[in-house]
Amino acid sequence: MNAVAFVHEQLTPKKEFPKFKAGDNVTVNYKIIEGNKERIQSFKGDVIKRQGTGFTASFTVRKISDGVGVERLFPIYSPNIESILVHKVGKVRRAKLFYQRERSGKSARIREKRKV
């Protein structure tokens, strides 16, 4: 089994993404394929959770669009992810921010961690 994992690791290209965690504000540029056309769609929001390890790792991003909360789950090592940009580093005290689903307005804000 170790040889299979080694070959799989050698054959799959691993993209380097910035370090991010729950509470960070990110933009995920995702490749959308419609028929024979490709385009890049960006999804900007707060990371609600990261889960899994290795190639099964994924993260969920939540944004408010026209007053409605929208969440999207992205596999980290998906070949369709073009890039991940970190805008703000959030100051949170837990790893899964499910409480954000019930919040709206000012109480839904995540404080930004100051860089000294």
Side-chain angles (χ1 to χ4, degrees), residues 30 43 49 51 58-61 71-76 81:
Y30 201 72
F43 193 89
K49 68 176 178 177
Q51 66 181 16
S58 62
F59 62 100
T60 303
V61 180
E71 290 186 9
R72 187 152 180 203
L73 187 114
F74 296 99
I76 291 179
I81 290 184

Side-chain angles (χ1 to χ4, degrees), residues 12-81:
T12 52
K14 220 175 189 181
K15 291 185 181 178
E16 291 296 320
F17 295 122
K19 300 274 187 198
F20 63 95
K21 58 181 178 39
D24 294 353
N25 188 282
V26 298
T27 298
V28 181
N29 293 319
Y30 201 72
K31 193 184 309 179
I32 304 290
I33 301 167
E34 296 170 333
N36 57 356
K37 289 189 274 186
E38 284 186 6
R39 64 184 175 87
I40 303 295
Q41 186 177 36
S42 62
F43 193 89
K44 181 178 179 179
D46 295 322
V47 178
I48 296 297
K49 68 176 178 177
R50 281 190 70 154
Q51 66 181 16
T53 56
F55 283 99
T56 61
S58 62
F59 62 100
T60 303
V61 180
R62 178 179 173 83
K63 74 174 182 176
I64 305 295
S65 179
D66 294 326
V68 178
V70 180
E71 290 186 9
R72 187 152 180 203
L73 187 114
F74 296 99
I76 291 179
Y77 294 109
S78 169
N80 292 332
I81 290 184

Side-chain angles (χ1 to χ4, degrees), residues 46 48 62-64 67-71 91-92 94 97-111:
D46 295 322
I48 296 297
R62 178 179 173 83
K63 74 174 182 176
I64 305 295
V68 178
V70 180
E71 290 186 9
K91 184 178 178 184
V92 293
R94 52 186 69 221
L97 305 178
F98 296 134
Y99 65 88
Q100 288 288 93
R101 294 174 178 163
E102 284 84 39
R103 304 253 175 128
S104 63
K106 286 190 175 181
S107 68
R109 287 183 301 187
I110 296 175
R111 298 186 118 189

Side-chain angles (χ1 to χ4, degrees), residues 82-97:
E82 195 69 28
S83 64
I84 299 173
L85 305 170
V86 178
H87 299 292
K88 295 179 185 176
V89 178
K91 184 178 178 184
V92 293
R93 296 172 67 176
R94 52 186 69 221
K96 308 268 196 287
L97 305 178

